[in-house]
Amino acid sequence: MSKIAVFISGGGSNLQSIIDKTKMENSSYQIDIVLADRECFGIERAKLNGIENKVIDRKIYRENLSKEIFKILRNRDIDLIVLAGFLSILDEDFINSWRNKIINIHPSLLPKFGGAGMYGIKVHEAVINAKEKESGCTVHYVEAGIDTGNIIEQIRVPVYEKDTPEILQKRVLEKEHLLLPKTIEKILKKGVK
Ligand code: GRF
């Protein structure tokens, strides 16, 4: 059974989709620990499901956040780190030590609508302002840049003229909940590159 660590900063609906998958008979992984960079509802989801969890407050650790996370994960035999709505930026040393073992989910069809400042509802506002006909979500490997790194899987959704950013966000989020657990399984079954 593979072991994953999930990093979050918010509501944790993507975390929930991963938890739900681990409860299915054919799941090939378990969640070893959930880490958050702030108090958030996602941590409650971990607690409710009896999963080890920890808040490493970004306001306390600041530039030492990555080092603190590194210490927690050391000796845990984690196969894959999943960023599921994690808003802090991990430093280069951390990313290099976990090269090709960190994935992120982003609510757009990268490379479009990614990068600094592109998170949450802002992504969907930008998609609508650009009059895109489709959007979607992307799971990609994490590199030192923001939302760069090889794309692993995407799901596309249509964008309709009458869409508000909130409606589009909901349509994309439903697909994220399918894409993330499925992609984790795929990576772990193949063996992490
Ligand atoms: C998702 O849209 C994800 O793509 C992005 O942050 C959001 C997190 O939502 N990186 P949740 O906390 O999983 O509900």
Side-chain angles (χ1 to χ4, degrees):
M1 179 74 76
S2 302
K3 289 203 285 185
I4 67 169
V6 185
F7 294 6
I8 55 168
S9 300
S13 68
N14 277 290
L15 166 66
Q16 189 65 52
S17 73
I18 303 171
I19 294 174
D20 293 346
K21 177 72 183 157
T22 62
K23 292 184 176 160
M24 291 179 176
E25 252 176 47
N26 61 352
S27 171
S28 62
Y29 62 87
Q30 65 191 45
I31 303 175
D32 191 61
I33 190 164
V34 172
L35 298 180
D37 64 352
R38 66 199 76 193
E39 292 293 345
C40 57
F41 184 65
I43 281 290
E44 301 309 314
R45 295 184 193 264
K47 287 181 186 162
L48 279 171
N49 287 277
I51 301 166
E52 191 176 338
N53 58 85
K54 202 168 171 58
V55 176
I56 310 114
D57 196 322
R58 70 197 197 291
K59 288 190 177 149
I60 296 172
Y61 288 98
R62 302 156 79 99
E63 67 278 3
N64 291 319
L65 187 85
S66 298
K67 285 187 187 63
E68 190 59 24
I69 295 176
F70 189 85
K71 279 194 231 159
I72 295 168
L73 295 191
R74 199 171 45 198
N75 305 327
R76 275 183 172 265
D77 251 345
I78 301 289
D79 296 291
L80 187 71
I81 294 174
V82 178
L83 309 187
F86 184 67
L87 292 175
S88 290
I89 305 295
L90 295 162
D91 69 24
E92 238 178 299
D93 284 348
F94 185 95
I95 289 169
N96 288 337
S97 352
W98 287 89
R99 184 150 287 284
N100 289 326
K101 283 188 167 190
I102 313 174
I103 62 169
N104 179 48
I105 183 146
H106 184 79
S108 78
L109 293 174
L110 290 175
K112 283 186 162 182
F113 306 102
M118 275 293 168
Y119 60 88
I121 200 73
K122 292 180 189 181
V123 178
H124 307 291
E125 282 167 359
V127 169
I128 286 175
N129 288 340
K131 302 202 182 320
E132 294 287 316
K133 294 277 177 287
E134 61 173 9
S135 188
C137 47
T138 303
V139 177
H140 63 96
Y141 285 108
V142 172
E143 282 184 353
I146 302 174
D147 298 327
T148 58
N150 286 341
I151 290 172
I152 308 164
E153 292 281 348
Q154 293 183 314
I155 296 183
R156 292 166 185 274
V157 301
V159 181
Y160 302 114
E161 261 174 46
K162 60 180 186 328
D163 277 349
T164 61
E166 289 75 17
I167 289 172
L168 179 59
Q169 182 178 43
K170 190 162 171 282
R171 190 177 304 130
V172 171
L173 195 58
E174 278 170 16
K175 298 299 180 194
E176 292 183 44
H177 297 160
L178 297 176
L179 186 69
L180 191 54
K182 191 178 119 197
T183 309
I184 295 169
E185 282 283 347
K186 183 183 146 180
I187 293 170
L188 292 172
K189 277 188 180 144
K190 272 206 299 200
V192 182
K193 275 202 291 181

